[in-house]
Amino acid sequence: MRVLYTCIFRVAVPFILLRLWWRGRRQPAYRQRLRERLGRVPTRLSRAPLLWVHSVSVGETLAAVPVIAQLAARHPDWQWLVTTSTPTGSERVREALQPVLGGRLLHYYLPYDLPECLVPFLQALRPSMLVIVETELWPNLLHLCRKRKIPTLLANARLSEKSARGYGKFAKLTASMLANLDRVVAQYDVDAQRFVDLGLPPQRVVVSGNIKFDLSIDLGLASEAQALAHQWRGSSGRKIWLAASTHAGEDEIILDAYRELVKTFEDLLLVLVPRHPQRFDRVAHLCQERGFRVARRSEGLGLSPRDQILLGDTMGELLRFFGACDMAFVGGSLVPVGGHNMIEPAAWGVPVITGPFLHNFATVGQLLTDAGGMVVVKDVEGLVLQLREWLEKDSQRITAGQCGRVVAQENSGALQRLLNEIEGLQSGSQNQ
């Protein structure tokens, strides 16, 4: 099955490259660094242990940052290779990890899952261990790591029911791929069981919880968020609604709800943050088409009392934005994407609204909903109804936020358990 998969992948490569070129029309970064995707990188001369972390894009990279930072502090002799698959993920690696790791950091795109791409990559860099964040599994990558005795660990692993069904359609390939993993550190029991049902040996899986609950909000970050809130509220003390990580099809719903709300709450500020940078201009145009006064964060001109919408068209500021708002909608949930990280607003004590499509955060969403820190709505009417209630009843809004914060605090601790697993596996490989 893996041989057949490899043959199909080889046939697909020209079309994959064509798609990169096509996406590069709007994001030129997709047309750059193609040699890395083909596995051609400079040879590493150092003999120091090289811990390889793969985080496909922004969300996984942000989850990996505290893991890498803590391990790097504990093991100053380790070097780090971080791979991503997208330009936005690459940008976050450089911004978040370069200051922490300095010259100990190597960063490339993950090569295509073909032996002719992976073998030269592995030969040039000689990693001592591979940590994959969440669920980014590639048959040839895991096979070659096993063949070269490179331990592999799947960190903060989650597997939705939908994804499990998809893997189950290729049962033999999936089972052989999972057999090449040395350890799976799953978020919850339901994730662990799905991996076992697909063929992972039960003794190789442990449950740690979700490391995204181990969110560190230090005094500096809290001060920055407070300053933002003061700037945005202005002299009128206006309320702030943040719509975060929105996708195509959600922005229209958000704007419809906002139009209804400002009939009653005239000075309500909407901070709208699209998930993908290539959509910033399109969303700005959409807001203007609807007749709203829009300021863009990237222009750095601040807000006037007449501005109704602030477009968050910068990168790396969303966590700060959550700390500056009164209530948050988390996107990817009113369209069938699967939802994005609602732990971040909860950790700030900000009440959360999402849509019903939450398969990427099903357990987290259930925890927050059951505790009263999150509300799920289905449409514009539900969104307006819930926001209106929180705008009219401050005590209810504040209580919901506090409930979410309690959930975030009670579910922390997964990070330390994951660190122990990584150190144990790395130590075992060095002693072999």
Side-chain angles (χ1 to χ4, degrees), residues 349-415:
V350 171
V352 183
I353 300 177
T354 73
F357 298 101
L358 295 173
H359 50 265
N360 290 336
F361 285 86
T363 304
V364 173
Q366 195 64 55
L367 287 170
L368 287 170
T369 303
D370 289 347
M374 189 176 94
V375 175
V376 177
V377 301
K378 296 181 179 180
D379 50 27
V380 173
E381 290 75 17
L383 190 57
V384 170
L385 185 66
Q386 185 57 58
L387 288 168
R388 188 186 300 279
E389 191 168 337
W390 282 345
L391 287 166
E392 290 175 344
K393 301 174 182 177
D394 286 349
S395 61
Q396 190 178 108
R397 185 186 72 251
I398 292 167
T399 298
Q402 290 171 341
C403 291
R405 178 183 279 145
V406 169
V407 171
Q409 292 170 343
E410 289 181 345
N411 284 273
S412 62
L415 178 58

Side-chain angles (χ1 to χ4, degrees), residues 83-103:
T83 54
T84 63
S85 299
T86 68
T88 50
S90 176
E91 186 178 339
R92 291 303 298 142
V93 167
R94 297 190 188 282
E95 289 177 355
L97 290 174
Q98 192 69 53
V100 176
L101 299 174

Side-chain angles (χ1 to χ4, degrees), residues 61-343:
T61 301
L62 291 174
V65 167
V67 178
I68 295 171
Q70 291 212 27
L71 287 172
R74 294 187 194 185
H75 303 279
D77 58 319
W78 289 4
Q79 293 187 342
W80 295 87
L81 165 65
V82 181
T83 54
T84 63
S85 299
T86 68
T88 50
S90 176
E91 186 178 339
R92 291 303 298 142
V93 167
R94 297 190 188 282
E95 289 177 355
L97 290 174
Q98 192 69 53
V100 176
L101 299 174
R104 297 162 62 192
L105 173 65
L106 295 173
H107 168 57
Y108 301 110
Y109 284 135
L110 180 72
Y112 293 133
D113 194 42
L114 293 170
E116 55 267 36
C117 298
L118 291 166
V119 168
F121 187 83
L122 294 172
Q123 287 176 338
L125 298 175
R126 295 172 286 103
S128 54
M129 180 178 175
L130 169 61
V131 176
I132 302 169
V133 182
E134 297 196 359
T135 312
E136 176 80 0
L137 300 174
W138 296 101
N140 282 320
L141 172 62
L142 294 175
H143 170 75
L144 288 170
C145 284
R146 170 69 68 176
K147 187 175 179 180
R148 290 172 174 268
K149 297 183 179 179
I150 300 170
T152 54
L153 180 146
L154 190 61
N156 207 42
R158 60 180 172 84
L159 193 63
S160 68
E161 184 179 353
K162 179 181 177 181
S163 295
R165 286 198 303 269
Y167 280 116
K169 293 177 181 178
F170 307 93
K172 289 185 178 180
L173 180 63
T174 296
S176 64
M177 177 176 66
L178 293 177
N180 287 323
L181 283 165
D182 293 280
R183 180 76 77 241
V184 171
V185 184
Q187 292 183 12
Y188 299 105
D189 290 330
V190 65
D191 300 297
Q193 189 58 53
R194 285 171 184 151
F195 280 108
V196 171
D197 291 344
L198 286 170
L200 178 74
Q203 67 274 18
R204 296 187 191 174
V205 63
V206 296
V207 176
S208 70
N210 191 333
I211 63 172
K212 292 180 179 178
F213 276 115
D214 290 83
L215 182 63
S216 175
I217 300 175
D218 58 32
L219 289 176
L221 185 61
S223 177
E224 291 172 6
Q226 189 175 21
L228 266 186
H230 179 74
Q231 174 192 339
W232 291 350
R233 292 189 197 285
S235 58
S236 66
R238 65 200 303 196
K239 292 291 194 301
I240 303 166
W241 169 32
L242 171 62
S245 298
T246 59
H247 288 252
E250 286 183 315
D251 303 293
E252 293 83 354
I253 297 173
I254 296 298
L255 293 176
D256 285 346
Y258 181 68
R259 183 180 297 283
E260 189 63 30
L261 288 166
V262 292
K263 291 177 183 178
T264 306
F265 309 96
E266 295 179 0
D267 64 347
L268 175 66
L269 174 67
L270 169 61
V271 180
L272 179 56
V273 185
R275 178 70 175 180
H276 298 113
Q278 62 268 31
R279 298 187 57 248
F280 289 160
D281 290 341
R282 171 73 186 108
V283 175
H285 184 62
L286 184 64
C287 295
Q288 290 163 349
E289 279 183 336
R290 303 264 178 132
F292 296 117
R293 284 185 56 88
V294 183
R296 298 185 65 150
R297 175 70 174 168
S298 61
E299 294 175 354
L301 301 178
L303 285 174
S304 79
R306 295 177 59 207
D307 288 324
Q308 297 171 292
I309 298 174
L310 174 63
L311 182 69
D313 58 348
T314 54
M315 298 295 291
E317 292 198 288
L318 188 54
L319 183 56
R320 193 177 296 112
F321 287 2
F322 279 126
C325 72
D326 294 293
M327 49 209 171
F329 167 81
V330 179
S333 58
L334 281 170
V335 291
V337 171
H340 293 299
N341 186 2
M342 67 282 289
I343 297 171

